[in-house]
């Protein structure tokens, strides 16, 4: 299995929480690429998008991932921003840089998780929701997430591994997902000739 590990998936799919838990199990460092963006450019991803728009953000985000990939350490778990794999050739680049895991949830689950984890840092979700018709915020968000995920899934599904989330939303979901990925990595270490 090529290292580092990249966790990818839609906003609120748990990349950061799962990444931290997974890194702890492995004893490796964890890097949240949204936080790295903020450290490098001195501005949160949300503020950057609100100030300059999505396209300039994607260029900076790409440069940030490439900069970190130059570091001479392999044993790292990265959580990417939700839109990163779906821009230009980013998914192909990620696949060459390491091993990618897509945390897959349904639009219904993601909508619930978005409201639980918070929208403030996510202008893409707020703008998307506001552009939809519907009586409640939850209905408008669900309409947006359905459309948006349908556009993004062709990129996400190119990941080396797809990790389907449990059907029922529960506090322990992220821990369960981290444990599954950890076991996959461990079984691969025991049997390195296996594919991927
Ligand atoms: C984005 C997701 C965000 C952040 C930015 C854009 C997206 O990261 O990179 O607001 O386009 O899906 P999270 O997936 O951590 O929310």
């Amino acid at each position: 299995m090529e290292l580092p590990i990249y966790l990818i998936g839609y906003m609120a799919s748990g990349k950061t929480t799962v990444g931290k838990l997974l890194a702890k199990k492995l004893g490796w460092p964890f890097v949240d690429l949204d936080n790295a963006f903020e450290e490098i450019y001195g501005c949160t991803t949300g503020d950057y998008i609100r100030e300059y728009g999505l396209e300039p953000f994607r260029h900076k985000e790409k440069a940030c991932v490439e900069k970190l990939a130059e570091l001479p350490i392999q044993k790292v778990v990265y959580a990417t921003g939700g839109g990163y794999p779906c821009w230009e050739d980013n998914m192909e680049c990620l696949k060459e840089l390491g091993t990618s895991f897509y945390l897959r949830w349904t639009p219904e689950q993601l909508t619930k998780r978005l409201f639980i984890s918070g929208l403030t840092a996510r202008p893409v979700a707020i703008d998307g929701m506001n552009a939809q018709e519907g009586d409640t915020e939850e209905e408008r968000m669900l309409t947006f997430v359905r459309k948006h995920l349908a556009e993004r899934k062709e990129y996400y599904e190119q990941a080396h591994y797809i990790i389907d989330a449990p059907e029922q939303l529960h506090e322990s979901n992220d821990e369960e997902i981290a444990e599954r990925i950890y076991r996959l990595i461990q079984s691969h270490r025991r049997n390195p000739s296996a594919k991927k």
Side-chain angles (χ1 to χ4, degrees):
M1 183 179 286
E2 298 294 324
L3 299 179
I5 299 295
Y6 289 93
L7 302 183
I8 68 166
Y10 201 72
M11 290 171 273
S13 58
K15 301 176 297 281
T16 302
T17 315
V18 171
K20 278 185 193 156
L21 293 165
L22 175 64
K24 197 166 170 208
K25 287 172 194 285
L26 290 162
W28 299 352
F30 167 71
V31 178
D32 180 298
L33 288 161
D34 283 345
N35 289 346
F37 182 102
E38 187 178 344
E39 273 176 36
I40 293 173
Y41 302 115
C43 179
T44 67
T45 57
D47 286 344
Y48 196 93
I49 294 169
R50 277 185 279 263
E51 180 80 21
Y52 303 102
L54 214 41
E55 183 147 348
F57 167 70
R58 293 292 173 219
H59 287 289
K60 288 264 189 256
E61 184 185 37
K62 190 173 178 63
C64 169
V65 175
E66 284 168 2
K67 214 181 187 88
L68 287 165
E70 284 168 14
L71 293 175
I73 47 167
Q74 300 286 295
K75 292 182 174 177
V76 186
V77 177
Y78 287 108
T80 65
Y84 176 78
C86 316
W87 172 257
E88 294 184 339
D89 62 348
N90 286 357
M91 191 62 214
E92 282 159 50
C93 295
L94 268 195
K95 290 190 72 180
E96 278 172 26
L97 289 172
T99 301
S100 45
F101 290 82
Y102 168 32
L103 311 188
R104 184 160 68 181
W105 298 83
T106 65
E108 290 74 14
Q109 291 174 317
L110 288 168
T111 299
K112 290 204 179 83
R113 286 178 59 102
L114 271 166
F115 285 109
I116 294 168
S117 62
L119 298 178
T120 323
R122 296 181 166 125
V124 173
I126 298 175
D127 293 351
M129 173 181 80
N130 289 338
Q132 310 303 314
E133 307 270 328
D135 292 337
T136 64
E137 283 201 331
E138 181 130 357
E139 269 176 46
R140 292 198 290 277
M141 185 63 88
L142 179 58
T143 307
F144 170 65
V145 174
R146 278 195 181 125
K147 287 189 215 168
H148 202 205
L149 190 62
E151 289 164 17
R152 287 185 167 185
K153 76 185 233 176
E154 64 168 300
Y155 298 95
Y156 293 150
E157 288 180 357
Q158 289 173 41
H160 293 103
Y161 294 92
I162 297 179
I163 307 296
D164 274 310
E167 276 181 29
Q168 301 297 325
L169 284 189
H170 191 272
E171 273 176 19
S172 61
N173 286 158
D174 292 341
E175 169 58 40
E176 195 185 316
I177 294 170
E179 181 62 24
R180 271 161 58 198
I181 300 178
Y182 175 70
R183 287 207 196 133
L184 261 167
I185 296 172
Q186 295 299 74
S187 72
H188 217 277
R189 280 170 152 182
R190 283 193 295 272
N191 181 13
S193 59
K195 277 179 82 188
K196 289 177 183 167

